[in-house]
């Protein structure tokens, strides 16, 4: 069972990264910062999870990267969504919406409404 949980978490992180990059190219720290801002600090992505996910997305050709200079004048790698990544984002968003609907359907069941 733990393998399934890790795959689900990785898939969710991939979706969040793809969505973040759909708003424009960013370096890793900017991806983390944006996710923290949007979730009001409730979601903190550690570097140990972020960079393996970015590299995985790059291997799948959903994300591209190039070296650039950050707002603090540091050399950093900027990641951008590719056309394939944009297609994948749309597909994953629909899959995630469907999953949320199904889980919600289960969670709202009460003894009186649950099928037997």
């Amino acid at each position: 069972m733990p393998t399934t949980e890790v795959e689900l978490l990785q898939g969710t992180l991939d979706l969040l990264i793809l969505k973040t990059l759909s708003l424009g190219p960013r370096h890793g720290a900017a991806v983390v910062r944006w996710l923290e801002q949007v979730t009001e600090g409730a979601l903190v992505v550690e570097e140990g999870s972020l960079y393996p996910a970015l590299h995985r997305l790059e291997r799948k050709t959903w994300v591209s990267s190039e070296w650039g200079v950050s707002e603090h004048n540091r050399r950093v790698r900027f990641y951008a969504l590719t056309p394939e990544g944009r297609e994948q984002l749309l597909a994953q968003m629909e899959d995630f919406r469907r999953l949320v609907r199904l889980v919600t359907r289960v969670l709202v069941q009460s003894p009186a409404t649950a099928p037997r």
Side-chain angles (χ1 to χ4, degrees), residues 3-78:
T3 303
T4 304
E5 290 173 15
V6 170
E7 289 172 355
L8 176 62
L9 291 173
Q10 287 177 346
T12 303
L13 179 56
D14 290 358
L15 173 60
L16 296 174
I17 291 170
L18 291 173
K19 177 57 184 176
T20 304
L21 295 178
S22 75
L23 304 172
R26 298 174 195 265
H27 56 81
V31 170
V32 169
R33 188 169 46 248
W34 188 81
L35 289 170
E36 287 179 6
Q37 288 172 344
V38 168
T39 64
E40 298 177 342
L43 180 63
V44 177
V45 178
E46 302 292 334
E47 283 186 22
S49 298
L50 176 70
Y51 289 101
L54 283 167
H55 297 152
R56 183 174 54 252
L57 294 171
E58 198 167 17
R59 280 192 307 276
K60 292 179 177 182
T61 70
W62 298 344
V63 166
S64 62
S65 67
E66 63 181 35
W67 288 101
V69 178
S70 75
E71 62 275 11
H72 300 293
N73 209 28
R74 297 179 116 173
R75 189 168 185 259
V76 294
R77 204 155 189 68
F78 281 86

Side-chain angles (χ1 to χ4, degrees), residues 91-107:
Q92 284 190 17
M93 286 173 62
E94 184 52 40
D95 290 347
F96 193 80
R97 285 185 193 107
R98 183 172 183 266
L99 175 63
V100 168
R101 283 192 305 271
L102 295 172
V103 169
T104 300
R105 190 180 300 169
V106 171
L107 294 178

